[in-house]
Amino acid sequence: LGPEYQAYPKVSAYRAAQGVEAVVRDLARADHVIDTVAGVGEEARLNGIVFEVSDPDAVLATARQEAFRQAAVKAAQYAVLAGRPLGRVVSIAEERHGPPVPMARTMAAEAHDTVSPGRQAIGVTVQVGYAFGD
């Protein structure tokens, strides 16, 4: 709800606005949704398009697994370089990279496609602390 001014600061009316979020899972239908909103005229306004991964948990689980594996490989190498056996994990910390940010699409869109989601990067940084073994 916001004021409409006849001449500032005199309020002549109030305008109410309602926001709606549409989730379109079929990218081929995105143009139709945009055209429909645009066809309504002044009564509807499209404020933007956001692309998201529907289920980032599965992608993050894979990223965690790979980050943890890489940390173990590096820790084993450092233990060898130090001339010590690798011990148990003593700490784990995670930093999530996000929210996902759309990246430029690397392939050209087909002629009939006007909405292109590009790619999104989702990742984590895992810090794993190991003790030296005996």
Side-chain angles (χ1 to χ4, degrees):
L1 187 62
E4 296 280 322
Y5 298 102
Q6 179 179 350
Y8 188 81
K10 182 175 170 119
V11 176
S12 61
Y14 288 91
R15 178 179 297 246
Q18 175 67 41
V20 175
E21 179 178 310
V23 176
V24 179
R25 298 199 187 284
D26 180 3
L27 189 59
R29 303 273 306 145
D31 285 337
H32 174 72
V33 172
I34 292 168
D35 291 344
T36 300
V37 172
V40 170
E42 295 279 328
E43 291 78 28
R45 182 167 297 170
L46 182 63
N47 289 328
I49 300 173
V50 176
F51 296 100
E52 297 176 348
V53 174
S54 295
D55 183 14
D57 292 339
V59 177
L60 285 169
T62 301
R64 277 186 202 100
Q65 185 175 0
E66 180 59 20
F68 195 88
R69 186 195 66 75
Q70 288 179 13
V73 168
K74 289 178 185 179
Q77 181 182 16
Y78 280 119
V80 168
L81 292 171
R84 305 279 304 272
L86 185 62
R88 64 183 179 83
V89 173
V90 294
S91 67
I92 300 172
E94 175 185 308
E95 178 183 333
R96 182 175 168 183
H97 304 274
V101 178
M103 297 169 50
R105 186 171 183 175
T106 57
M107 300 184 324
E110 293 187 30
H112 63 279
D113 292 340
T114 58
V115 175
S116 173
R119 296 180 297 159
Q120 294 179 340
I122 298 175
V124 295
T125 298
V126 176
Q127 294 179 345
V128 183
Y130 287 85
F132 285 121
D134 296 328

